[in-house]
Structures are given as structure tokens and as C-alpha cells.
Amino acid sequence: MIAKRTIENLDAAAVLGRRALVRVDFNVPIKDGKVTDDTRLRAAIPTIEDLKDRGARIVLLSHLGRPKGGPDPKYSLKPVVAALERLLGMPVAFIADPAAPAAVELTKQLPRGAVALVENTRFLPGEERNDVATARMLATLGDFYVNDAFGSAHRAHASTEAVAHLLKPAVAGLLMEKELEYLGGALTSPRRPFVAVLGGAKISGKIDVIRNLLPKVDRILIGGAMANTFFRAKGAATGASLVEEDRIAMAKELLERAGAKLALPTGGVIAPSLERAGENREAAWNAVPDGWAMYDIDAATERAFAGIVAGAKTVVWNGPMGVFETPPFDHGTVAVAKALAAATAAGATTVVGGGDSAAAIEQAGLAGKVSHVSTGGGASLEFLEGKVLPGVAALDDRTP
Ligand code: ADP
Ligand code: MG
């Protein structure tokens, strides 16, 4: 378990009247100057409210989209101000240029409990280079540093990594803490049986996840397109299913290494194409006709996977079981989501990581019925791969 110091470990004097420089993940979708999905804003509210209640002056930093290292109005964080004001029920100041001397003045004159948002950190040429001078400039905007942007923690950028070495204390926010607690807890001290459910499009993107999880889990259940590559490794024809030809040997090796730990679907739902979804039918794993593709796990596999999940005390799920964007191929994914919800109700700890998996469980209306849905797509994947996230590593360790 990565024990990092958090805002809860800061005593009152370290917070009251002090400027908290808080890295959040406000990388939200914006259309016609309006935030169209405020999930990420809401995820940061507990940390902002906590600091506000304790009398800090709060300065928020975030990136948005992928501007090319310079200001681009298309990627301005300005539209986030109104959305944030609505959520907080108070005005939010905007700092268009953090490098201007007026910016430091503004942060110092913020009343206790007030909030300011800094323009997109990726407008700064040094941000993505993890440039120390850029970090030093950012550090002038606060008296201590808080990182609540788990979704950006896998990138060593000036606002996530370098600044955490310059501005102390550097601590985790409440969302970051929750992510580390659930993802970290599952990986380092899972209650057993510990079951991983993996799916999604490509085995290539998940090999390191499988490798890292294999020695830790009791069972690993594979669905989604990546199952097809395993079917090929077992000698089956897979028709027009999505297969990574160059990973078949790798899949073979993983199958041998995993033995009975790894469970593959016994059958799937096939169709001639996504456009011809209406012609779907079930087929055994090794009986996919030429020209047909497997787009989901079948009912028997749903039941088998649900049964294994039901017996688990810890479940980590990453990757949809099928093409969940195109019904009826969402059925297997929804079945797994329901299985996780049922396991949670029965006392298991259940964690969902990955952008599409999070979207799928949200779509199924079950996001609130699992222990934790990670807000970090790429970051949660790297975490499951066992990698050290630079934005986490740079934070202060918790001292006993
Ligand atoms: P996550 O974002 O949760 O890590 P991935 O990005 O790895 O998940 O995979 C999600 C994608 O996998 C979805 O777009 C889904 O349509 C696709 N997918 C899942 N199963 C299949 C399949 N059998 N054939 C083709 N695509 C699939
Ligand atoms: Mg994805």
C-alpha cells in the first residue's frame, strides 16, 4: 500500500489562511462554451470543500485537452468557472496568466475559503517537459501543494511532478487518497478470493496488466476482443473476430503460465458484422464460422463469470466483455457489472478501472453499486500494470 500524506494529515495551522495549490483533473468535455459532463468537477469537490472549510485560499490547476504547448482558446478552462461556481455555490476567480506578477498578488488577496482557477497548464510550454522553471513559477501561487488529479498522475509534468518537489508539504487530496486506497489496497493486500475480470479491445494494451495481476490473483477472467487472441492461441478459427495476429504467441505463453487460474469464455455472441447485429446468435468459442465475428460473451459465460465473481472478496474489473456501445453486445458487460454490484452488496470490495469500463458501468446505472470506479483511465491501467505513477511518487510519504 502506498502510504502518502494527505490533506487530512495536515494540522489546522498548516491550512488556515494558507494558499493551497491544488492540481485537479478538470479535463472535461466542453461544447459551445459549456461543460457537458461535470463528473470530474464533482470528483474534486470533497477536497475543495475540505480545504475551504478549514480556511485555506484555494488555487486550482488543471490541464484541458491537448493544446500544442501554447495558448489556444479552444482549450481554455474559462468555461469551467461557471460550472464550478454552480457546484460550489460561490464565485470562482480566474487566473488567465499564472506567470504574470498580478497572478501571485491575486492568490495572496483571495479571502480565506475562496477559490481561484488557473488557465490550462498545457498553455505553458514547460508543462509537459516537466520543466523546473515552470514548476517554480507555479509554486509561487501556493504555500503548500495538493495533488487530487489521479487521472494525470501517470504523467510527469510540471504541475503534477516537478512542483511537488518544490512546494512542501506536498500531499494527496481526498480523491487521490481514495484511488490509492482502493486500487493500491486491491493489489497489495486483497481479501481473498481475489478475482480480476479483464476485457476490452486489445490484448497488446493489457499484457502488462495480465502479467502483473497473474501472481496476485486467484482467478483471472478474460472477455472482450482479447479473448479471441487466446482462442487462436488454442488453435481455434476465429472468423472475422478482432484478433492480434502478432500476439498469438504471447497469448500461448500466458495460457501456459496461468494454467487453471485463467478462465476464457466458453462461447460468445456472433454476427456477420456490427451493422447486421440483428442476425446475432450464440456460438461455441471454437465454432465461429468464416465471415462472422464474436462481439460478446455468451449467456453460459455470463453465468460462469458471475458465479466466480459472487465467490470473490476482492474484484478488479478492467475492460468491457463485448462491443458494449452496440446493443445487444452490451449484454455480457452489463452482466459483469451486475455481478460486481451483487458481490459488493454481499461484502466484497469491487474496483472498476479503465475509461470504457467506467463508461459502461455508468451506462448500466451501477456505478454507485460498486466500491470504487476509478476516475483515471490511463492512470488506473498503469497502476494495474504495477508501474509507479510519478505524480504519486513525488508526494510526501506518510510518516507513522
Ligand atoms: P478500457 O477503456 O475500460 O480499458 P478498452 O479501451 O481496452 O477498455 O476496450 C474497450 C473497447 O473494446 C470498446 O470500444 C469495445 O467496443 C471493444 N471491444 C470489446 N469486446 C470486443 C469485441 N469482441 N470485438 C471488438 N471490440 C471489442
Ligand atoms: Mg479505452
Side-chain angles (χ1 to χ4, degrees):
M1 182 85 188
I2 309 157
K4 287 293 170 181
R5 207 169 167 200
T6 76
I7 54 173
E8 291 166 310
N9 304 133
L10 298 175
D11 59 31
V15 176
L16 182 67
R18 315 261 299 160
R19 294 171 305 154
L21 185 66
V22 188
R23 178 58 157 94
V24 289
D25 181 1
F26 283 177
N27 186 23
V28 292
I30 293 175
K31 201 167 176 253
D32 301 325
K34 292 220 162 56
V35 175
T36 55
D37 179 352
D38 67 357
T39 308
R40 284 182 170 156
L41 305 185
R42 283 187 281 112
I45 297 298
T47 291
I48 298 173
E49 294 279 7
D50 180 87
L51 292 168
K52 187 180 119 185
D53 292 347
R54 296 163 70 187
R57 313 166 199 275
I58 301 149
V59 181
L60 303 172
L61 293 177
S62 177
H63 76 284
L64 176 73
R66 296 180 180 278
K68 295 274 169 277
D72 180 344
K74 207 165 80 205
Y75 296 108
S76 174
L77 272 172
K78 192 82 212 280
V80 168
V81 170
L84 195 56
E85 286 179 332
R86 258 196 313 279
L87 287 172
L88 290 170
M90 60 186 278
V92 171
F94 188 66
I95 298 175
D97 181 5
V104 177
E105 268 321 295
L106 191 148
T107 62
K108 287 185 172 158
Q109 276 156 25
L110 276 179
R112 288 176 178 184
V115 178
L117 174 66
V118 175
E119 181 58 288
N120 193 346
T121 50
R122 288 193 183 166
F123 285 3
L124 305 166
E127 164 72 339
E128 293 180 69
R129 279 190 282 115
N130 201 20
D131 174 55
V132 175
T134 302
R136 205 173 287 133
M137 180 277 287
L138 291 173
T140 63
L141 302 176
D143 299 311
F144 65 101
Y145 177 74
V146 180
N147 193 341
D148 213 22
F150 178 77
S152 307
H154 58 314
R155 310 243 181 268
H157 290 170
S159 70
T160 61
E161 209 275 341
V163 71
H165 295 289
L166 297 170
L167 192 57
K168 296 291 182 184
V171 302
L174 300 175
L175 173 64
M176 175 72 89
E177 185 189 11
K178 189 164 183 243
E179 295 275 5
L180 297 178
E181 183 187 327
Y182 279 100
L183 285 169
L187 296 188
T188 57
S189 49
R191 289 185 296 138
R192 295 187 182 275
F194 176 18
V195 173
V197 187
L198 297 181
K202 291 179 172 173
I203 187 175
S204 53
K206 307 271 168 94
I207 282 169
D208 289 334
V209 175
I210 301 175
R211 283 227 172 95
N212 184 44
L213 291 181
L214 257 185
K216 303 188 199 307
V217 298
D218 297 293
R219 295 304 293 281
I220 193 159
L221 316 180
I222 304 274
M226 74 160 87
N228 297 319
T229 306
F230 283 104
F231 294 153
R232 280 289 285 283
K234 289 176 60 166
T238 45
S241 304
L242 181 59
V243 171
E244 287 174 282
E245 300 284 343
D246 57 339
R247 301 295 161 146
I248 294 172
M250 172 91 56
K252 220 175 246 171
E253 181 214 308
L254 283 171
L255 280 175
E256 273 162 30
R257 179 132 50 107
K261 254 191 194 183
L262 193 146
L264 289 172
T266 50
V269 181
I270 62 170
S273 69
L274 285 176
E275 289 69 37
R276 288 166 65 185
E279 293 166 53
N280 77 84
R281 63 178 176 82
E282 291 195 345
W285 69 276
N286 54 0
V288 181
D290 275 357
W292 288 61
M294 199 176 278
Y295 292 122
D296 200 5
I297 56 173
D298 68 354
T301 303
E302 285 180 6
R303 282 193 297 275
F305 283 10
I308 295 168
V309 165
K313 286 275 190 303
T314 305
V315 185
V316 169
W317 176 28
N318 168 265
M321 295 292 101
V323 185
F324 74 101
E325 302 94 333
T326 312
F329 307 120
D330 59 339
H331 203 273
T333 301
V334 173
V336 163
K338 283 182 180 158
L340 257 76
T344 316
T349 303
T350 55
V351 185
V352 181
D356 290 291
S357 318
I361 197 156
E362 189 75 47
Q363 192 178 302
L366 294 169
K369 303 271 189 225
V370 294
S371 307
H372 182 63
V373 179
S374 178
T375 53
S380 60
L381 215 57
E382 290 200 16
F383 202 99
L384 295 176
E385 288 171 355
K387 289 196 184 132
V388 173
L389 308 185
V392 175
L395 299 176
D396 300 350
D397 290 325
R398 194 178 303 175
T399 44

